[in-house]
Amino acid sequence: MDALDQRLVTLLRHNARRSISDLAEELGASRATIRARIEKLEAAGDILGYTVVLRSDAVEQPVRGIVLLEIRGQAADKVVSALGGYPQVSAGHTTTGRWDLIVALGTEPLADLDAVVRNMRLLPGISGSETNLLLATPLSTRARL
């Protein structure tokens, strides 16, 4: 993926419904070039698909945090499955190092975040945790409204 492809993907991440003409104009390339680049990225599997971003996905929760979890033994799949039932959880990532799983979550009031974290800590298989509040997001590739 060259620099033009990377710039194109960045624009598509922010709004995949932009017209080819609009993308071409912003990137300083022809419509044919941009169309060919998109088709090439799709055929190569670099672009897997397009999706709908709901307002609730794009509007930040007032209180956001990450929870770093240490998981005992072979309980990772059960913990991940249990966390999938929490509507406040927006993402989960397995990691290397001290923590086994990093969970991103968001709530309305701080008290709700506290309640969710307390419930997470009670899940069977969790042997340790650390919670960090997110203050600001100066950089993101998520869609903007």
Side-chain angles (χ1 to χ4, degrees):
M1 197 180 301
D2 66 13
L4 180 59
D5 287 339
Q6 290 172 354
R7 290 176 47 217
L8 175 59
V9 167
T10 298
L11 293 175
L12 290 172
R13 279 184 169 159
H14 292 289
N15 182 359
R17 293 191 56 162
R18 288 180 72 170
S19 70
I20 299 289
S21 297
D22 186 42
L23 293 167
E25 183 178 328
E26 184 158 340
L27 294 170
S30 71
R31 288 184 357 207
T33 296
I34 297 305
R35 182 182 315 280
R37 295 286 184 125
I38 290 172
E39 289 172 359
K40 179 188 79 166
L41 290 166
E42 290 171 343
D46 291 319
I47 294 177
L48 297 177
Y50 303 89
T51 189
V52 172
V53 178
L54 301 174
R55 178 174 298 281
S56 62
D57 295 331
V59 175
E60 295 294 342
Q61 295 287 333
V63 181
R64 297 170 301 131
I66 57 168
V67 181
L68 307 156
L69 298 172
E70 180 179 41
I71 301 173
R72 199 171 29 248
Q74 303 296 318
D77 290 340
K78 289 181 181 178
V79 169
V80 168
S81 179
L83 292 173
Y86 285 76
Q88 302 88 348
V89 171
S90 60
H93 310 276
T94 57
T95 66
T96 61
R98 161 106 171 80
W99 304 104
D100 300 304
L101 189 65
I102 296 176
V103 179
L105 63 144
T107 64
E108 291 291 329
L110 184 59
D112 285 359
L113 186 112
D114 181 50
V116 171
V117 171
R118 279 188 281 117
N119 286 332
M120 281 183 185
R121 289 178 176 154
L122 296 174
L123 290 173
I126 296 197
S127 56
S129 70
E130 178 182 316
T131 303
N132 294 280
L133 292 179
L134 301 176
L135 302 175
T137 306
L139 178 64
S140 176
T141 58
R142 291 182 70 187
R144 289 167 179 72
L145 295 180

